[in-house]
Amino acid sequence: MIAAQELHTEFQFPQETDTQLSSDTDLEDPDVKNAKLGKGKGGRKGKKAPGEKGKGGGAKGTGLGGVNGHHQENGMESMTLFEVVKMGKSATQSIVDDWIESYKSDRDIALLDLINFFIQCSGCKGAVSAEMFRHMQNSEIIRKMTEEFDEDSGDYPLTMAGPLWKKFKSSFCEFIGVLVRQCQYSIIYDEYMMDTVISLLTGLSDSQVRAFRHTSTLAAMKLMTALVNVALNLSINMDNTQRQYEAERNKVMAKRANDRLELLLQKRKELQENQDEIENMMNAIFKGVFVHRYRDAIAEVRAICIEEIGVWMKMYSDAFLNDSYLKYVGWTMHDKQGEVRLRCLTALQGLYYNRELNTRLELFTSRFKDRIVSMALDKEYDVAVQAIKLLTLVLISSDEVLTAEDCESVYHLVYSAHRPVAVAAGEFLYKKLFSHRGPEEEGMPRRGRQSLNGNLIKTTVFFFLESELHEHGAYLVDSLWECAGELLKDWESMISLLLDEPMPGEEALTDHQETALIEIMLCAIRQACECHPPVGRGTGKRVLTAKEKKTQLDDRTRITEIFAVALPLLLAKYSVDAEKVTNLLQLPQFFDLEIYTTGRLEKHLESLLRQIREVVEKHTETDVLEACSMTYHALCNEEFTIFNRVDIARSQLLDELVDKFNRLLEDFLLEGEEPDEDDAYQVLSTLKRITAFHNAHDLSKWDLFTSNYKLLNTGLQNGDMPEQIVIHAMQCTHYIILWHLAKVSEGSSTKGNMVTLRKQMRAFCLMCQRYLTSVNTTVKEQAFTILCDALMIFSHQIVSSGREQLEALIYTPDSPLQAELLNFILDHVFIDQDDDNNSTDGQQDDEASKIEALHKRRNLLAAYCKLIIYNVVEMNTGADIFKQYMRLFNEMLSDLGCNFDRSSSSFCGIKELARRFSLTFGLDQLKTREAIAMLHKDGIEFAFKEPSPQGEGNPPLNLVFLDILSEFSSKLLRQDKKTVHLYLERFMTFQMALQREDCWLPLISYRNSLQAGGDDDTMSVISGYSSRSSSIRTKKAKPASTGKRKLPEGEGCSTDAVWMNQEQNVQTPVMMPSPHLTSTVLRDPKKMRPEESYMGVYAMTSEQQHQQLPPQQHHHQTPMDYNRRGSGLMEDDEEPIVEDVMMSSEDRLEDLNEGMDFDTMDIDLPPSKNRRERSELKPDYFDPSSIMDDSVGIGLLLRVQ
């Protein structure tokens, strides 16, 4: 049997080798083997002395011989076990069977093959020879393999990319599982094979070589999983044997078979002995590997441990599903790596999914529920999704566990922009609010106002209104679509709730609730017809499967059949409510218009057209009118037979509108008469309707340009035209020109049309230019926006894509126009928020109006920046824009002082604007080279212009501006970065180059941005100064060598050393003496506790990295300085050199048990259920006082950053 103290003994050959395995091989039937267990027990006793030679041991090579069996027949006799598993061409079962046959022939050579298999799987080029195996201790062998770890990169089989290595990992794990399964009836009990393998893996898992530790931990955990499966089978066999024994013993004496009773007693005894040995093996692995590696420095290793303990608890819950093992999962939920937290959650999901295990999880749930709830907001989306799914399982298991506050923290995630999070939250919401049915709801109808779905739809509306966080019904519908799709598709019940009168005693929906229901109904129809998430949640339209396409067509047909009848009724009821009508009028866009004909629904179409006409006549709101316009556009489809009917109705409506507009305009513009407010309202309302329809329909045949131009010209001459009339006249004229351009672009118009369009376009642009000087701010903003759009459309870009015939339409703004546009931006965009009073239309100066005004100013600036990007206006105007950023930044410095918070919202806002402005320069760096260089020059001068008021030694007043200037460094050419860097150094003093305080971070970050991507590697400020005074140029810095894996030497440099020149007298951190590897120190196994070998060494904290420290002893070892790799213990995978095996004390909670004995509770497999019951409960292992107890073991671990 294996005891904990045997883990670090040397590998030894057995004392006797003439004991042959009996004929009950590990390939026989399990029932037959169970009956023969007593025959092979003698072969498991005793070991050889270290110096004795086994049968054939050492006579057949170095342990690298090929695998036996059928592989030799296929010409693979020279391949090692590792190569055979890596190729994956042979079934794992046959590979294991061959190894077992080899083990029977000569177990020393076979075991040596297995040892080298694990060594080679770690990526080590060395091999363990028979001589090493016979005479060297475990620690010496591992140290020898560490020295021979000859690799040029940090990759090893488990981390290598490519399909071959991905398959290798699964083959590696499968090999270990099959090996134990095939050896579970005799070989694993021979006290030789399992002793050697467990001792090897335990030693390797304690190595400071990442490849050894990662590979051996995976192997040990899979070995443990296989042993748990064996233990479970033994437990089942023991229960069966016990039942057979009880049944036989309860028979009357005449029928009782005493020989069978003896046989059953002997079998039960042997099974119990086997179970005891399995317990010892599992204890050795758990205490020797798991309790140390579950807090390893590598996230992958920690994830492996947590994943496997979840498998153990689910597979053999009687033995492992208790607080002494659940605590490891609970603690590790605080791990700072998302991968590890994710494995914790998936492990717990497997437990909570089985309702029979819920009672054993009550204490764990009460202790760690708050942590699970908080993980729903995890920064890693995958972790958040699994946390919500776990909370859903907790909710299903018990309604009383989660409080209302816990549920509310998940509810609002249905509005998350990340769809998997939102869908998981939607399922949680559905289970909480919609899955509980009372006895009074069982007999309710399926559909309609009084149906169960009707009540659930009301609940959805109430939740939508009470959330108060968002007003995005599309997001809520998308979140519930997968779990409550049938409910959201019950449009009959929704229509019934809107049209039918409430029953006596039933509370009717309020106006606000009806509006919300209509919005949800529209979003559900859109989701069913478009089959993709709303904007902001999806990455694009995906290809639908055949089943999804059929469902989409069926839903669209059903929608048309239902709403073709109901929509006119809904419009008639809510015709005066603008918000409801706007949503209802969007429904025809999702109709299958052919059904109007095939379903004989023409009379309902006529009714719909009448209702739309009435809506147009009643409303003047832009949203309602545009919805009516889009509805006509959707119905006027020439592919369907209803086109003529809809086109006639549309033409009649437009004829009336245009005739009315011309008549009203003639009266409105009569000279000598003062137009009253009623006349202005009539003109404005008619103009709004025409403008809304002109957006989607071509009204060129009505010749509206003349009347609109006359209206605009009169407004300029008189100056008393209402602003809304001017705004809509501009918009309508803009649509007229665009429709005219569309016709000309198609090539169907004559040359005269081209001349007419050119005249109209230039006249309209001149009109907009004149309106830039209007006294009304809203009119000026509309004129500026339309003018920028027109200049973009009719710029030199118009002739691209083979449209050279449009060259006559190119319109280039002259210098006065460009100056006016720039002045408009300077006067209306770069202003103080409090000064922007005119554009808020007299609204209160509240937060909402400020945000709206800010968005308006951003849109104006974006419209102008597009002209700069596409070279419509002169490029040098961009410098004027940048000057405004400098002015605003200077004002902010004056208000906040030089020591303000760089993470403040005001500073971040300016930096974000600078980032967006840098994007406007495009990708062609040659075109903008001079402008960008001058921008950096002026920015550097500005940053160093004002000295610090606190005196010399403090940063200049405007130094923080370099942080904003760094946003433009990526636009510099590589050679220009050097020039700008040299220009920067002119303003720097020698002392500035040495500063590392936070107040100097803008200078450091700006210099880094100039050095990124340069020809030379990162150089120091000091070396830069040296380069100016010396004619000898320093050679290019060489990258760090990634050669052979070596122990750290007593020299090196930290990451900060790249800023230091070795020639200067600057004190750098002193490297600590290199410790011995934990797993390669020769120890006396009799004097040292086995747990002591797993105490890791800690890296220096960040405070220690910049000062000299005397060597400190930590468990008789010297701390290692890992700063030479620059990233502490959690280094990247590219450099898995020699590292600390424990999490850095800087990145986790203090280990409460550091220095204590790892007296972890032994694995105690439960007794047979028919034999005895457990008499006492386990202690509360989640209590903080228990954590401090030596019997519990490890303390709290990691904290999520």
Side-chain angles (χ1 to χ4, degrees), residues 483-578:
C483 58
E486 293 300 321
L487 171 66
L488 296 173
K489 290 181 181 180
D490 189 0
W491 295 297
E492 294 96 335
S493 298
M494 296 181 185
I495 294 173
S496 178
L497 288 171
L498 293 171
L499 293 178
D500 297 347
E501 294 296 327
M503 299 293 292
E506 180 186 359
E507 185 177 356
L509 294 177
T510 64
D511 180 72
H512 199 32
Q513 292 169 351
E514 288 178 338
T515 302
L517 176 55
I518 291 175
E519 182 178 354
I520 292 175
M521 181 175 66
L522 170 63
C523 295
I525 291 173
R526 181 185 293 114
Q527 185 89 1
C529 294
E530 295 181 353
C531 294
H532 64 78
V535 177
R537 249 196 203 168
T539 57
K541 294 184 179 180
R542 61 184 181 87
V543 179
L544 301 180
T545 63
K547 183 178 180 180
E548 290 173 335
K549 289 181 179 179
K550 183 179 184 303
T551 303
Q552 181 186 30
L553 293 175
D554 293 343
D555 289 340
R556 193 171 184 182
T557 300
R558 184 164 160 263
I559 289 170
T560 307
E561 293 173 347
I562 294 173
F563 285 95
V565 178
L567 183 57
L569 301 177
L570 291 170
L571 289 173
K573 181 177 181 179
Y574 300 110
S575 60
V576 296
D577 192 314

Side-chain angles (χ1 to χ4, degrees), residues 585-603:
L585 285 173
Q586 297 182 47
L587 298 182
Q589 301 176 25
F590 308 104
F591 285 2
D592 182 1
L593 300 180
E594 188 67 28
I595 294 179
Y596 272 113
T597 304
T598 59
R600 299 182 181 275
L601 301 175
E602 289 86 355
K603 64 177 182 178

Side-chain angles (χ1 to χ4, degrees), residues 293-299 302-303 306 328-338 340-341 344 368 371 1098 1130 1142-1151 1194-1201:
R293 300 283 68 79
Y294 89 101
R295 56 177 190 165
D296 194 273
I298 308 175
R302 302 197 300 274
I306 296 303
Y328 296 106
V329 180
W331 293 340
T332 314
M333 283 195 295
H334 294 271
D335 196 289
K336 68 177 182 179
Q337 294 296 326
V340 183
R341 301 195 299 275
C344 294
F368 292 99
R371 174 57 187 156
Y1098 291 91
M1130 305 303 295
M1142 306 297 290
M1143 290 295 298
S1144 171
S1145 58
E1146 181 186 44
D1147 297 326
R1148 64 181 178 93
L1149 297 176
E1150 181 181 1
D1151 189 350
I1194 317 302
L1196 292 175
L1197 298 179
L1198 312 170
R1199 176 170 53 197
V1200 180
Q1201 291 181 341

Side-chain angles (χ1 to χ4, degrees), residues 94 240-242 265 285 310 441 445 460 464 481 494 500 714 805 822-823 862 892 957 1050:
S94 61
N240 293 336
T241 304
Q242 182 67 20
L265 282 174
I285 298 175
E441 298 176 341
T460 306
F464 180 49
W481 192 254
M494 296 181 185
D500 297 347
T714 304
Q805 72 276 10
L822 178 60
N823 291 332
M892 185 183 70
L957 183 64

Side-chain angles (χ1 to χ4, degrees), residues 460-685:
T460 306
V461 173
F462 299 155
F463 171 81
F464 180 49
L465 293 176
E466 292 173 2
S467 61
E468 297 181 356
L469 295 174
H470 297 267
E471 297 179 356
H472 303 297
Y475 276 54
L476 175 61
V477 169
D478 181 57
S479 301
L480 294 171
W481 192 254
E482 294 185 5
C483 58
E486 293 300 321
L487 171 66
L488 296 173
K489 290 181 181 180
D490 189 0
W491 295 297
E492 294 96 335
S493 298
M494 296 181 185
I495 294 173
S496 178
L497 288 171
L498 293 171
L499 293 178
D500 297 347
E501 294 296 327
M503 299 293 292
E506 180 186 359
E507 185 177 356
L509 294 177
T510 64
D511 180 72
H512 199 32
Q513 292 169 351
E514 288 178 338
T515 302
L517 176 55
I518 291 175
E519 182 178 354
I520 292 175
M521 181 175 66
L522 170 63
C523 295
I525 291 173
R526 181 185 293 114
Q527 185 89 1
C529 294
E530 295 181 353
C531 294
H532 64 78
V535 177
R537 249 196 203 168
T539 57
K541 294 184 179 180
R542 61 184 181 87
V543 179
L544 301 180
T545 63
K547 183 178 180 180
E548 290 173 335
K549 289 181 179 179
K550 183 179 184 303
T551 303
Q552 181 186 30
L553 293 175
D554 293 343
D555 289 340
R556 193 171 184 182
T557 300
R558 184 164 160 263
I559 289 170
T560 307
E561 293 173 347
I562 294 173
F563 285 95
V565 178
L567 183 57
L569 301 177
L570 291 170
L571 289 173
K573 181 177 181 179
Y574 300 110
S575 60
V576 296
D577 192 314
E579 186 175 1
K580 294 185 179 69
V581 167
T582 302
N583 287 329
L584 290 172
L585 285 173
Q586 297 182 47
L587 298 182
Q589 301 176 25
F590 308 104
F591 285 2
D592 182 1
L593 300 180
E594 188 67 28
I595 294 179
Y596 272 113
T597 304
T598 59
R600 299 182 181 275
L601 301 175
E602 289 86 355
K603 64 177 182 178
H604 297 289
L605 176 63
E606 294 290 345
S607 177
L608 175 61
L609 294 175
R610 285 195 303 270
Q611 292 298 328
I612 296 176
R613 183 186 180 93
E614 291 182 9
V615 170
V616 172
E617 294 173 352
K618 289 180 180 179
H619 291 272
T620 58
E621 294 87 352
T622 302
D623 292 339
V624 178
L625 295 175
E626 288 183 352
C628 293
S629 175
M630 295 305 298
T631 302
Y632 273 115
H633 183 268
L635 296 175
C636 287
N637 193 327
E638 297 181 1
E639 298 179 0
F640 302 99
T641 55
I642 65 172
F643 169 75
N644 292 330
R645 185 172 301 183
V646 179
D647 185 49
I648 292 173
R650 179 185 61 175
S651 299
Q652 291 176 350
L653 175 62
L654 292 175
D655 280 336
E656 295 179 5
L657 289 175
V658 172
D659 291 342
K660 182 179 180 181
F661 175 69
N662 291 329
R663 185 175 64 255
L664 291 172
L665 186 62
E666 184 178 354
D667 298 336
F668 184 72
L669 298 179
L670 283 178
E671 297 181 2
E673 295 186 9
E674 185 72 21
D676 57 14
E677 294 183 0
D678 183 62
D679 293 338
Y681 176 77
Q682 292 293 331
V683 172
L684 176 61
S685 60

Side-chain angles (χ1 to χ4, degrees), residues 722-723 727 771 773-781 828 838 841:
E723 66 176 41
I727 290 173
Y771 267 104
T773 59
S774 173
V775 295
N776 191 289
T777 303
T778 307
V779 172
K780 288 192 290 187
E781 290 173 351
H828 294 83
N838 295 329
D841 296 330

Side-chain angles (χ1 to χ4, degrees), residues 19-26 32-46 107 185-191 266 270 273-274 277:
T19 304
Q20 297 291 330
L21 293 176
S22 59
S23 59
D24 53 327
T25 65
D26 285 48
V32 179
K33 294 181 182 15
N34 288 334
K36 298 180 180 181
L37 282 173
K39 299 181 180 180
K41 299 290 286 186
R44 304 200 302 264
K45 304 298 181 182
R107 62 183 186 177
Y185 299 109
S186 62
I187 294 181
I188 62 174
Y189 303 111
D190 66 359
E191 294 187 352
Q266 180 65 22
E270 293 172 356
E273 292 177 359
N274 292 340
E277 292 197 34

